[in-house]
Each structure stands twice: as C-alpha cells, then as structure tokens.
Amino acid sequence: MNKGLKIFGILTSIGMLIVLLQGSIVTKTDSGDGCGETWPLCFGEFVPSSPALATLIEYSHRLVSGLVGLMVVILAIWAVKKLPHIRETKFWALMAVLFIIFQGLMGAAAVVFGHSNIVLALHFGISAISFATVLLLTTLAFEDGKRKPAPRVKMGFRRYLFFVLAYSYAVIYSGAYVKHTGSTYACEQFPHCGEVATFGFQAGVQMTHRIAAIVLVVLLFILFIQAFRYRYESKILAGSGLSAFMLILVQAAAGVAIVYFPDAYLAAALTHTLVITFVFTLLCYMAMIVTRNRAY
C-alpha cells in the first residue's frame, strides 16, 4: 500500500538529511560567505568561475536545498492525496511546506542582509523541524493500514513530554549559537570551563549550553522512565523513549569529543548535529502518538 509514496518519502528524508549535514559543513568550515552576498546565484553567476572550496561547499548546499525543497512540496501534496483519512496528515504536510519555505528564506536573508548569529542559529533550528516533519510524513505512509490503538496516557505525561520537546529545541538553538558566536573552544575543559579569570561572553555562551545539555540528559532519562510505564500499552512509545535517551548519551559523548579531540572536530561536530536532530524527531513522534487519544 502506498509503495510509491513510501519510497519517495524515504528519498526525501535522505535528501533532508543531506541538506542538514551540508548546512552543518557550511557552518563548521566557515563557508557561509562562499558565494558573497548574492542569492540564489553565486557571485552573480549561475555557474561560478574558478570557485574556491568555500564556494563549492556553499553553492552545492544551495543547489541540493532547492531540489530537496521541491521534493518536500511534492511529498506533502502526495501525502494529502493518498492519506486523507489519517488525522495527522494535513497538519504535518502543512508544517513541512511552511518550514521548508521558512528555512530557505532565512538562509537567503542571512546571505543578502548580513550574518546575524541569532538568525543563523535559528536557521539550524528550523532545519531540524523541517527534517522532523518530512520523516513523520514518511512514517504516516508506513503506518497506513497497520496502526495499532494509541495508548491512553495521563495528562501529566503529555505535558511533560511537550515540555521536554520545547526544551530540546532550546538546547538545539543554544548549541547552534555556540558555533555562530565562535564559542566552540571558549572552554578547554569539561564539564567546567577552566579559570574564572578568563571567563567572558564566549565562555558564558559555552557554559550555558553545557548546563542546558546536561539538564536535557536528565529530563530525557525521566521521560524514558515515564514512557516505560506504558510499555504494555505501546512498545513504540517506550522504545522511542529509550532510543531518545540512548541517543542523547551519544550526543553528549560527541560534544565532549569536540573539546578533547580537536583533530577529529568535523566528524564529532557532524555527529553532534545529526544525533540531536534525531532526538528532536523522536520526541515529535512521541508527541504525535500521545495526542491520538484523549488523555484522562
């Protein structure tokens, strides 16, 4: 059932993942100015002449983003036509289209109107939401005809889940802000920052993110414990809670690796980016599950 939609959803999800990683590479390699201040062309040219490495990185990101953006719109329309009987379809289709457009506009604005650390950090946050919407649309295609009754969860659990979801987005933003303010190596130790005498703005940004990230680990552990209580009603809910907690440990390990293994910075940083995106997507999926039935 819906074989074509499933395949296209997988391809679009992979495309979104590539866009996400490309954007991270653009940031990690400081290639944001690789095409100057022109958009969508590169230095006013459709095909850049004698491009530097930064130009190739930035322009390839733009081209792939444009192609994948078109795929997202097609996926959303296709899903609405094929899955109108699923309650969540229209919502996630609308969110997918809105956020992929918003993501593109923010990227263009950053190039044309100058780089703002706040806007650039938000650009990554929007990318994470875009990836989640596409993956959830694809998930709906696979669930069609195979869905089990949704678990009835307590209102307290729902509220806590949505709180953790919102908090995780704040942590994602703070992590992106660390990079865009040049604060990655403001603290050369972990978990503390080092000498108080050297503590400044960048160290403050770094420590704020670290504290927020540590709190997120604790929150996700509590979420897993609570979700595990519903293991008999929903193995998927309990499994998603466990997966989110395990992934956040990998996320934390990648963050520590950035500090102590600078030679492996790019690999650790990309892992850091990828894993937190999956954690956020899992939380979105859990939120979708628990809202399928009324809470008691």
Side-chain angles (χ1 to χ4, degrees):
M1 184 181 294
N2 302 318
K3 183 177 180 180
L5 179 60
K6 293 176 183 177
I7 294 174
F8 190 76
I10 292 173
L11 293 176
T12 307
S13 298
I14 294 173
M16 283 297 302
L17 188 61
I18 292 173
V19 169
L20 192 71
L21 290 175
Q22 279 187 317
S24 183
I25 291 173
V26 169
T27 300
K28 310 306 181 189
T29 58
D30 295 319
S31 301
D33 293 321
C35 283
E37 297 181 354
T38 60
W39 189 94
L41 300 180
C42 196
F43 293 114
E45 300 175 320
F46 184 76
V47 179
S49 56
S50 302
L53 179 59
T55 302
L56 291 174
I57 293 174
E58 169 65 13
Y59 202 43
S60 63
H61 175 53
R62 293 186 188 184
L63 292 176
V64 174
S65 296
L67 175 60
V68 174
L70 179 60
M71 292 175 68
V72 171
V73 174
I74 294 173
L75 176 66
I77 296 173
W78 196 346
V80 170
K81 289 186 175 181
K82 287 290 186 179
L83 308 172
H85 52 286
I86 298 180
R87 180 174 63 89
E88 299 94 349
T89 302
K90 291 183 179 179
F91 173 78
W92 289 116
L94 178 61
M95 292 298 101
V97 173
L98 288 179
F99 277 101
I100 198 66
I101 293 174
F102 191 26
Q103 178 184 346
L105 291 176
M106 289 193 66
V111 172
V112 176
F113 300 109
H115 298 297
S116 165
N117 293 329
I118 295 177
V119 173
L120 289 172
L122 185 57
H123 181 58
F124 175 71
I126 297 299
S127 299
I129 296 177
S130 293
F131 176 78
T133 58
V134 170
L135 199 59
L136 290 178
L137 267 182
T138 304
T139 301
L140 292 179
F142 278 89
E143 284 187 349
D144 189 28
K146 302 176 183 178
R147 294 175 62 171
K148 297 179 180 179
R152 295 181 63 85
V153 301
K154 294 183 178 180
M155 180 62 74
F157 177 76
R158 287 181 60 181
R159 289 174 176 171
Y160 181 74
L161 173 58
F162 279 100
F163 166 73
V164 176
L165 176 60
Y167 184 82
S168 68
Y169 185 79
V171 174
I172 289 174
Y173 180 86
S174 70
Y177 193 68
V178 166
K179 172 57 186 175
H180 290 297
T181 55
S183 305
T184 302
Y185 289 106
C187 296
E188 298 180 353
Q189 300 179 45
F190 183 89
H192 57 86
C193 197
E195 296 296 331
V196 178
T198 63
F199 201 87
F201 171 75
Q202 291 180 320
V205 171
Q206 176 65 254
M207 282 306 300
T208 298
H209 173 62
R210 288 186 183 183
I211 293 170
I214 292 171
V215 171
L216 180 60
V217 173
V218 176
L219 293 177
L220 285 173
F221 177 71
I222 296 173
L223 180 67
F224 159 61
I225 296 299
Q226 293 188 1
F228 189 71
R229 296 174 180 174
Y230 296 100
R231 61 190 181 279
Y232 299 115
E233 295 91 338
S234 177
K235 292 181 179 179
I236 293 180
L237 185 63
S240 296
L242 174 60
S243 298
F245 177 64
M246 296 302 292
L247 283 173
I248 202 63
L249 295 181
V250 175
Q251 163 79 2
V256 174
I258 291 175
V259 176
Y260 289 107
F261 302 98
D263 291 340
Y265 167 73
L266 187 59
L270 291 179
T271 300
H272 201 60
T273 297
L274 183 63
V275 173
I276 194 60
T277 303
F278 279 122
V279 170
F280 180 76
T281 302
L282 271 172
L283 293 174
C284 289
Y285 180 61
M286 292 176 71
M288 182 174 71
I289 291 175
V290 302
T291 53
R292 285 175 173 169
N293 277 339
R294 291 181 178 274
Y296 60 87

